[in-house]
Amino acid sequence: MQYFITLARHMNFTRAAEALFVSQPTLSRHIELLEQELGFALIEREKKQISLTPAGEAMLVTLKSALRLIEAGREQGARLARGSQGLLRVGLLDSLDGDALLPNLIAPFRRECPDVRLEFERHSFNALRDRLSWGKLDVLITVDIDCENLAGVATRPVASFPKVLLMSRLHPLAGRLDRSFADFRSDPFFIPGEEDSPGREQALCAVTGRCGFTPACIRTVPNLESAFFSVAAGLGVMIVDKSTKYIRDPHCTYLELDEADAPRAVLVAAYRQDNTNPAAKRFLERLKA
């Protein structure tokens, strides 16, 4: 195609061959092969000059259009391969507060890769885990404890947030300034069950143990939303971190640990190691910046 277009531009075999950095016989042979493949003549050959046949003129328009489409396709393919275009499907733990992610993670990626189409889904971790394993999501943003022991899944840290004790504003200790974690040892502590979020009981006891007590009562509910609703209703307390939307709920308040080394929850981006989506790779690489 390019040989014919160049010849049509110069209308001279010698000058066209020089522009293409090939010999004149090579150019002539390529034009002859193209005419044989098409089944009709593209040029009229005279002694000292050439001209396009009517079929050649029509073919020239078509080939120029085809080359523009090929170039556009090449550019789009390159953007897709770099991860600067395409589709990125991100799953978010349903308890996450948007302020924990939008300013420092999502917004910068959107500025860097405006042509990547982002799709977000919010679910409990059980649903996120399933959708990641089914290939319905590229990346999960969740807490690190939820991703332990997941086969074929790798993680990268996103941010960390201090853990706090969440309670209803109706709790007898809600308004006291001298309260401590240990004052809540007799309260029921709500956690999501193992099926939804494995390891929550061990994580809870690790936090309370640092404060010198073991909860007298641990109540398991189906998921984080169930645990939060129970706490907001005044049925008990729960350990959360400051990345959650729950700490902003008007029905609740929270108590921070006064330790200098207060335990923190680590938010991670989790992804399947066999994921080949360039946009996901670009997103994950940005987390290292």
Side-chain angles (χ1 to χ4, degrees):
M1 287 192 300
Q2 189 61 58
Y3 281 16
F4 173 60
I5 292 172
T6 304
L7 178 60
R9 182 168 64 251
H10 291 280
M11 297 303 288
N12 180 281
F13 272 98
T14 301
R15 290 196 296 271
E18 290 173 352
L20 292 166
F21 299 100
V22 298
S23 66
Q24 183 173 329
T26 297
L27 175 59
S28 297
R29 181 59 179 158
H30 275 283
I31 297 299
E32 289 172 0
L33 290 174
L34 180 59
E35 290 176 321
Q36 290 174 16
E37 182 179 349
L38 294 173
F40 51 82
L42 296 171
I43 60 174
E44 294 284 359
R45 296 168 175 82
E46 300 178 7
K47 288 184 179 181
K48 293 186 178 181
Q49 63 181 14
I50 63 172
S51 61
L52 297 181
T53 66
E57 291 177 351
M59 183 56 63
L60 178 63
V61 173
T62 300
L63 291 181
K64 284 182 175 180
S65 177
L67 280 181
R68 285 194 294 269
L69 290 174
I70 290 171
E71 178 61 21
R74 187 196 66 78
E75 292 177 359
Q76 183 179 20
R79 288 194 298 270
L80 287 167
R82 291 193 304 267
S84 56
Q85 188 172 338
L87 171 65
L88 178 62
R89 302 160 302 173
V90 180
L92 306 172
L93 189 63
D94 53 10
S95 63
L96 289 178
D97 188 341
D99 285 349
L101 297 174
L102 293 175
N104 299 319
L105 180 61
I106 304 301
F109 180 76
R110 290 287 296 130
R111 288 194 296 270
E112 183 180 311
C113 302
D115 293 328
V116 172
R117 182 161 61 91
L118 281 168
E119 290 184 357
F120 294 104
E121 299 182 17
R122 295 177 72 102
H123 299 288
S124 68
F125 181 70
N126 189 34
L128 289 177
R129 179 179 57 213
D130 288 344
R131 292 185 66 73
L132 183 67
S133 66
W134 297 335
K136 300 295 185 181
L137 292 171
D138 295 302
V139 180
L140 307 183
I141 306 296
T142 185
V143 290
D144 57 350
I145 188 176
D146 289 333
C147 300
E148 294 177 358
N149 304 316
L150 289 184
V153 173
T155 62
R156 291 189 184 177
V158 174
S160 68
F161 297 86
K163 293 184 178 182
V164 298
L165 186 143
L166 190 73
M167 72 194 83
S168 167
R169 288 193 179 275
L170 301 178
H171 193 286
L173 298 178
R176 283 181 49 179
L177 298 178
D178 58 345
R179 61 196 177 181
S180 69
F181 263 43
D183 292 332
F184 296 85
R185 59 168 52 89
S186 299
D187 284 82
F189 277 75
F190 283 87
I191 60 171
E194 287 289 309
E195 182 179 347
D196 182 70
S197 185
R200 290 285 179 163
E201 183 170 348
Q202 296 93 317
L204 168 62
C205 291
V207 174
T208 58
R210 292 174 63 168
C211 299
F213 72 96
T214 299
C217 175
I218 298 177
R219 292 188 180 173
T220 301
V221 291
N223 49 46
L224 278 172
E225 286 290 319
S226 301
F228 165 70
F229 194 83
S230 300
V231 170
L235 304 183
V237 297
M238 66 187 292
I239 300 293
V240 298
D241 65 80
K242 284 191 169 183
S243 73
T244 69
K245 62 185 179 182
Y246 304 137
I247 64 172
R248 296 177 181 269
D249 190 277
H251 299 96
C252 292
T253 185
Y254 61 89
L255 172 64
E256 298 188 58
L257 279 173
D258 55 6
E259 303 176 46
D261 60 342
R264 302 178 71 87
V266 179
L267 278 186
V268 297
Y271 58 97
R272 284 176 42 168
Q273 291 173 309
D274 60 357
N275 188 306
T276 59
N277 183 355
K281 181 180 179 182
R282 183 75 172 265
F283 181 78
L284 292 164
E285 285 176 346
R286 203 193 184 288
L287 298 181
K288 297 191 242 181

